[in-house]
Structure formats: C-alpha cells, structure tokens
Amino acid sequence: MMGRILRIELRRSAAVGVALLLLVIGAMALLSSTQGFAGRWMQLAVSVRAGLLVLWPLALAGGAWLGRRDARNRVDELFASTGRPRWQRILPTAGALAVAVVSAYVLLLLVGAGWVLPTADYFPVAAVAVAAVGALSLVAAAWVGMAVGRAVPRLVTAPALAVAGVALAALLPDWMTVSAVVDDRPAPAALLLTPVYIGGLDDFQTVTARVNLTQALWLAALATTGLLLLGAARRRGIALAVLPAVLGAAVAVPLMPTGGYQAAADDPGAAELVCDDAGLQVCVARVHAALLPDVAGPARQALAMMAAKLPDAPSRAVEDRQVASWALAGQDRTPTPHPADTIVFATPTIGSDGRADLSGDYFLPLLLEAAWRQDCGDQAYDRDAVLARTVAAAWLTGEPPTPEDWWDVEERALVDSAYRTLVGLPQAEQQRRMAAARDAALSCRADALGAIVRGEIP
C-alpha cells in the first residue's frame, strides 16, 4: 500500500521536477570543469560535493515548494478531518522527495563517472563515503525545506529558503575560513557542519572516516528533525522535533577536527608509485597512472639529454608526490630530499580526458630543470636560483633560453648574459660548473645555485 502511494507521489508531485532541476544544474556545473576530476574518483566525489553550493539550497527550496502543496490546494482542513494518522500522509511524500533528490545525485555522479572510468586506475573507498554524505545532505535539506514550507505556506518561502541555504551552507563557512586564515588559526570544527566542500582536495589526500562519520551523524539528525517537524502538529511535538538536530550537532562538533576540510589526511594508496621499466625507469603516483604512457617518453628524453652532457647524470624520473602547500593550510611539511640519481618532476596538466596535456611544449623544460631541483621544504623564494635552472635547462638543449612572460628587462639580460658566458667556456669547464650548480641545488644551497646567473662560480 505504502509503495503504491509512493509511486503515485513520484508520478504526480513536484518531486521529479525538483530532481530534474538538481540534475540539470548540477551537471552544468560539474561538466564546466571536467579537468578537475577526470581520471580520479575522489576528485569526482569532491567536485560533486562542491556543487552542493547550488544543489543544497535548491533542495531546500524544492522541499518548501512541495511542503506548501496542501495549503496551496486549500485541502488542509479536509485532510485534518480524516481519521488517518498524519504520518500516513506525510511519509509517502517525504519518501518520494528523498528518492528523487538521491536519484538526481547518483545520476550526477554517473555522468561524472564518464570522465573518470576510462582512465582511473585507483579507486579509494573513501570516495563512496564522501558521495554518500552528499546524498544524505540533500535528503536533510529536502525534508527541512518541506517542514518550513508546510509551516510557512507562502509564495516567497521557497526562494527565501534558497537564499538562506546559500548563506548557511557556503557564504558563512567561507567567511569563517577567511577569518581563520587572517587570524592565523585553524578553522573551527563547526565548519564541517556544512555539506559543501569548500576549497579543494589535493590528489594525494583523502577525507578521513572520522570526518565522514561525524558529518553523516549530523546530517542524519538534521534529516530526522525535518521529518519530525513535518509530522508535528502541536508545540510540544515541534519542540521535541528540534532535539535530534541539537543533539546531533552537540555530539558531532566535538568529534570533528579543526581546520575544516583542510584537515584532510594523506592517502598512501594514491601516492603509491607505478613505474614503467621498459628503459630508464619512469614512475608516477597510482592516482595518476593514466599519465604514465604520456610522460614516459619526454622523461626518458630528458634523462638522455642529461646523460649526454651532465657528469653523474640522474637515471630515474619520479613524479613529485608532495601534497601542495595550498592544501596544507599552514601545516608544517617535512621535506623529503631525493637521491642524486633521481629527478622529481611536477605533475603535468591533466586534460578533460584524464590524460596528460603536454601541449605548449612546457613539459620537457620542466623535466630538464628538475635536475637542479631538490625538496628543501618551505625555502624562501630565490630569483637567481629560479633563473639559474632556466639557464641550466637551456645548456642541456644547446638552445638559448626562451624568455618567459614574467621576466622583466633585467632578468632577461641576466639570463642571456649567463647563458652566453657559460657556452663560451670550454666544454669541460661547462660541465664542471653545471655539476657544481647541481651539487648546490641538491644540498639546498639556493644562493650557490643562483651563482650561475651572477657569474660567481669559481
């Protein structure tokens, strides 16, 4: 009986319309930046969670629109006069809306999966939990919206709730995050009460089970409150209905970590190396395994160019697996120096097909400069050291350095002068200077590396 009523609600209520609205708007937002998640399941889950910035307020508004249906049709008094419990009328409608919004969310994930499945080689189980929390949040929003729509059956209720949803789920947390950064302190744990994923997640990070479980606890409590408010007819019932949300927040917030979503943890599985040994070894992280066929050729070309001119040249290329500094938000990072026989290169740009985008010929110079790079932690920026790497890479190619857009006149003159001076020396002296510069770079003596452009290497 209940199932039949649920199917009728799905066919005749606005639940399907709300779901279609969520799906269309969510898909438009998701597909506008496929490079952000192509080939990576966790990034897909996080991108869809970021889309809750729009979807969550829409679910609130959709629930409010459905909640005022009885008042809109002027049948409140008629239904109140029937002998059936109120729950028997509420549950099918609430269930239909929940099924609709969850279906839209799942379909949105399936649409995004089309950009992930062909190239993804790593599936973190935590991505399922991240996605599930997002679906639960939409149910909570829809039911709370229904309760508000029933309590305040006005035409403006739905749009007003949408605006309030944006403010509560996105703008307020964003303001809390910025305030924490300005005050140089971790973002408060309460920031995680919002289901919207603010900021981003590095490819080598994951959302911990602690965060997922506490968010699920809070959102389940909020959904329960929304459902109880729908069924409440008296003040006492309304007061009791609020209790689950209050208790959920009281229990969840102390269990949530500070730092907001920047409290994400490293994911060793994503950072595990996948290597191509068909020649000089080239390795990338497992989460970027699809990039290996694209980067192996340029990496071996760079290693061969180094072997042709540089004494004790490196013989192995490995992708940099350090979490980006923007994702650490002030956390201390321990440097992990690599051995002299290895170059560590930055992840190339990932295209919308999940493969490496090497257009623009930027990648080979990046690989060549890596011979003069080392992980020195949060070392201060040294302009001369940066320019010295450009000169060194140009020396390997035998071509003058290509001017960068960000160079000023002085920097361009420095680079040109350093390159001409270097190639004007006997071959043995060139090799000796480049080897000395590499020793300086590997031992994190940036000032000594920068001596190339200052002409100070003895």
Side-chain angles (χ1 to χ4, degrees):
M1 180 66 176
M2 186 66 76
R4 190 169 66 86
I5 299 176
L6 182 66
R7 288 192 294 274
I8 293 173
E9 286 286 356
L10 282 172
R11 285 201 307 270
R12 299 186 176 179
S13 75
V16 173
V18 172
L20 287 174
L21 185 66
L22 294 180
L23 178 59
V24 171
I25 293 180
M28 291 171 61
L30 186 68
L31 299 182
S32 66
S33 58
T34 52
Q35 296 94 334
F37 61 86
R40 292 154 289 167
W41 290 110
M42 178 58 81
Q43 293 299 335
L44 171 61
V46 169
S47 295
V48 176
R49 284 284 294 276
L52 289 177
L53 169 66
V54 178
L55 303 185
W56 207 78
L58 284 177
L60 264 178
W65 180 262
L66 198 58
R68 62 183 284 270
R69 181 179 60 178
D70 290 354
R72 187 170 63 243
N73 294 325
R74 299 178 181 178
V75 293
D76 271 341
E77 292 182 358
L78 175 64
F79 287 153
S81 65
T82 62
R84 288 184 176 279
R86 181 176 175 78
W87 290 110
Q88 288 189 2
R89 290 190 292 108
I90 291 172
L91 284 179
T93 309
L97 185 57
V99 169
V101 297
V102 170
S103 298
Y105 191 79
V106 171
L107 286 173
L108 191 58
L109 287 166
L110 291 176
V111 169
W115 276 261
V116 178
L117 191 60
T119 52
D121 192 59
Y122 174 63
F123 182 79
V125 177
V128 177
V130 173
V133 169
L136 182 57
S137 77
L138 287 180
V139 174
W143 286 353
V144 169
M146 281 187 72
V148 176
R150 171 181 166 263
V152 188
R154 308 289 184 191
L155 191 60
V156 299
T157 301
L161 263 187
V163 173
V166 171
L168 289 175
L171 298 183
L172 178 60
D174 190 48
W175 176 80
M176 293 167 67
T177 303
V178 173
S179 298
V181 172
V182 171
D183 297 339
D184 194 22
R185 58 178 170 77
L191 190 67
L192 292 173
L193 291 178
T194 173
V196 180
Y197 202 103
I198 299 171
L201 193 74
D202 190 273
D203 288 357
F204 305 127
Q205 288 182 313
T206 186
V207 180
T208 64
R210 174 185 173 186
V211 171
N212 288 323
L213 288 173
T214 49
Q215 285 192 313
L217 169 67
W218 150 246
L219 292 167
L222 185 63
T224 303
T225 286
L227 197 59
L228 291 177
L229 284 174
L230 266 173
R234 301 175 186 276
R235 291 183 178 179
R236 184 180 178 184
I238 294 173
L240 290 175
V242 176
L243 277 180
V246 174
L247 291 176
V251 172
V253 171
L255 296 176
M256 291 172 171
T258 58
Y261 281 103
Q262 290 170 329
D266 291 349
D267 184 356
E272 182 182 340
L273 284 180
V274 177
C275 299
D276 181 346
D277 294 315
L280 296 174
Q281 189 180 61
V282 181
C283 304
V284 298
R286 180 168 295 284
V287 70
H288 296 150
L291 310 182
L292 187 55
D294 302 316
V295 305
R300 292 198 176 104
Q301 182 185 359
L303 291 172
M305 295 171 73
M306 294 173 194
K309 300 185 73 171
L310 186 65
D312 299 323
S315 57
R316 181 170 179 257
V318 176
E319 181 190 10
D320 187 359
R321 293 170 293 157
Q322 287 287 343
V323 174
S325 57
W326 59 263
L328 291 174
Q331 299 177 40
D332 293 333
R333 185 176 75 80
T334 303
T336 53
H338 57 265
D341 68 346
T342 302
I343 60 168
V344 176
F345 60 89
T347 306
T349 303
I350 300 176
S352 59
D353 59 354
R355 304 291 295 270
D357 180 2
L358 304 182
S359 58
D361 298 328
Y362 72 93
F363 194 52
L364 183 59
L366 197 71
L367 289 165
L368 296 176
E369 290 183 19
W372 286 269
R373 287 188 184 278
Q374 179 60 284
D375 184 0
C376 301
D378 298 326
Q379 194 176 52
Y381 173 79
D382 188 304
R383 184 201 64 166
D384 289 351
V386 173
L387 297 178
R389 291 191 190 97
T390 303
V391 174
W395 173 73
L396 287 176
T397 64
E399 299 290 338
T402 302
E404 300 286 351
D405 294 338
W406 50 269
W407 288 356
D408 58 27
V409 175
E410 180 190 1
E411 290 167 336
R412 182 172 300 194
L414 274 174
V415 169
D416 289 342
S417 173
Y419 179 75
R420 286 196 305 271
T421 301
L422 182 66
V423 298
L425 297 172
Q427 185 66 26
E429 179 61 13
Q430 294 179 32
Q431 293 179 325
R432 187 193 70 79
R433 291 196 178 196
M434 287 295 97
R438 185 158 192 263
D439 288 341
L442 295 181
S443 56
C444 293
R445 292 182 285 119
D447 188 61
L449 171 63
I452 292 177
V453 296
R454 297 191 298 272
E456 296 175 355
I457 291 183

